[in-house]
Amino acid sequence: MTTAADYTEKIPNNVSLHEDRRLQRALESWQPNFLSWWESMGPALPTRDVYLRTAVNVGRDGWAQFGFVPMRDYRWGIFLAEREPGRAIGFGEHKGEPAWDRVPGEYRSDLRRLIVVQGDTEPASVEQQRNLGATAPSLYDLRNLFQVNVEEGRHLWAMVYLLHAYFGRDGREEAEALLHRNSGSLESPRILGAFNEETPDWLSFYMFTYFTDRDGKYQLGTLKESAFDPLSRTCEFMLKEEAHHMMVGTTGIDRIVERTARLMTENDTDDVTGHGAIGLPVIQKYLNFHYSVSLDLFGGETSTNVANYYTAGLKGRWLEDRRRDDHKLTDDAFMVDTLTEDGDIGQTEVAALTGLNTDLRREYVADCQSGVNRWNKILADAGLPQRLRLPHVAFNRKVGAFAGIEASPAGERLSADDWEQRQGEWLPTDVDKTYVRSLMQPVHERGKIAAWIAPPRHGINGKPFDYDYVHLA
Ligand SMILES: [Fe+2]
Ligand SMILES: [Fe+2]
């Protein structure tokens, strides 16, 4: 059964919003607040219109439309994936029972918290990327930035819908607070650390969309398993849009590595700064930073909260239905990273339920490695011996077992003094950041591209690279 999207309404949706006047009114009164947030915290570069994808339905064929839209008039809508008839809970103590259409009272505050934490990340990234338009390397890249921005805005709508529809007055208050907190704000920052970091340049943007958006993919993957069916269906549809964000990050770094590799071979040098490109050591440092702050987003190696969420059926594992175990895990054990009694970096066995953060982080790490392999293939194909690598999980951590120690990217423990002296070898220094920023000169001319990045192989929706993806104001 598909509910067709209703586009005649103020808020496009496939949740029959018109049948619930109170909810509709509540969301319609949140809408102007969202729009003024978008105006003041969203993309700063003035544009007339942008070639954007808009979600119009959730069906297998044709869920999105492409066309030029003024961003302020983007149709941010509410879309849940189709209901799976007779869906049963897939894990935890309620395994096999029917999925929930309502929020059970005993899990209300935990579910609300999970939705708020997820919801908080969506507008945060828009805020972090607010000023990037001014330095876009091409109109194609500019369009992709704006596509990611409007979709993160829609993901905020997705979470706000759940808060309004299922959590009453406190849900409405949380929806307001999602617009009130701001990335990097001293008084009311965003909830998670990585979402308060700056995204001041496009190398950071691609690293963010590769590593930090990918955390989002894994979090959404666990919420898609939820016994709370509306949350599950919301996340399933959001994952569809996230695939594009992953593509932007993956191919963005591909193209930077490709350009650098080309200049290295053409000029027979490792130092490409004279050619206006970004050297591999700087790329590695940015990778180290974004990867390590993204690892922190998965929380501590062990967590009793997350064990409880799993047992209750609120949050599952990545690809829960492909796991070959009892989906309850009450008798299972799991190895997690730890600091041993001697202060060494090692592993220890814990109850599988408390190790679920580590389980999810490992899935994520394996996925991140596939990107590194791609970039290394570009280097190998260019005949270069250099390689990029993921740093050790203990490197530069602020959350979890290794938060209190310092470690090198190779995983050796360091004294605080050693770290102080050597961190500039591994993390971007002010000199690196200033250099990268100096390259960020806007290329807003059709078909042109900045010197530090290669053009993409394909355009968007079958259009060529030199299409006029964005009309500036
Ligand atoms: Fe998102
Ligand atoms: Fe995203």
Side-chain angles (χ1 to χ4, degrees), residues 332-350:
D332 299 351
F334 190 72
M335 296 298 284
V336 299
D337 302 311
T338 192
L339 212 54
T340 65
E341 276 168 23
D342 310 329
D344 293 330
I345 295 168
Q347 295 210 328
T348 187
E349 190 177 277
V350 299

Side-chain angles (χ1 to χ4, degrees), residues 48-52 54 67-75:
R48 222 164 65 231
D49 53 19
V50 183
Y51 187 69
L52 290 175
T54 303
F68 282 96
V69 232
M71 271 193 286
R72 199 184 193 282
D73 300 336
Y74 189 78
R75 304 295 320 261

Side-chain angles (χ1 to χ4, degrees), residues 341-418:
E341 276 168 23
D342 310 329
D344 293 330
I345 295 168
Q347 295 210 328
T348 187
E349 190 177 277
V350 299
L353 283 169
T354 56
L356 286 172
N357 278 347
T358 299
D359 178 76
L360 189 62
R361 178 156 39 227
R362 288 210 184 121
E363 297 286 339
Y364 168 81
V365 168
D367 195 359
C368 289
Q369 184 60 47
S370 70
V372 174
N373 295 347
R374 258 177 96 104
W375 307 324
N376 284 338
K377 183 164 186 312
I378 295 171
L379 295 172
D381 289 350
L384 293 167
Q386 290 91 338
R387 295 294 177 262
L388 296 166
R389 42 185 64 86
L390 295 178
H392 192 275
V393 284
F395 172 79
N396 191 38
R397 296 296 302 282
K398 303 283 181 277
V399 172
F402 307 122
I405 63 150
E406 302 298 352
S408 72
E412 305 134 344
R413 257 204 87 161
L414 299 173
S415 70
D417 282 352
D418 281 347

Side-chain angles (χ1 to χ4, degrees), residues 243-295:
H244 175 72
H245 310 181
M246 306 288 105
M247 187 285 284
V248 168
T250 309
T251 58
I253 303 173
D254 282 358
R255 293 160 53 213
I256 295 173
V257 172
E258 186 186 327
R259 179 67 183 155
T260 297
R262 167 170 225 166
L263 289 168
M264 285 169 72
T265 48
E266 276 180 6
N267 299 287
D268 194 20
T269 177
D270 291 351
D271 183 8
V272 293
T273 49
H275 304 279
I278 307 170
L280 293 177
V282 173
I283 296 175
Q284 178 69 60
K285 288 183 191 183
Y286 274 69
L287 184 161
N288 290 346
F289 173 76
H290 286 273
Y291 175 69
S292 56
V293 301
S294 300
L295 289 180

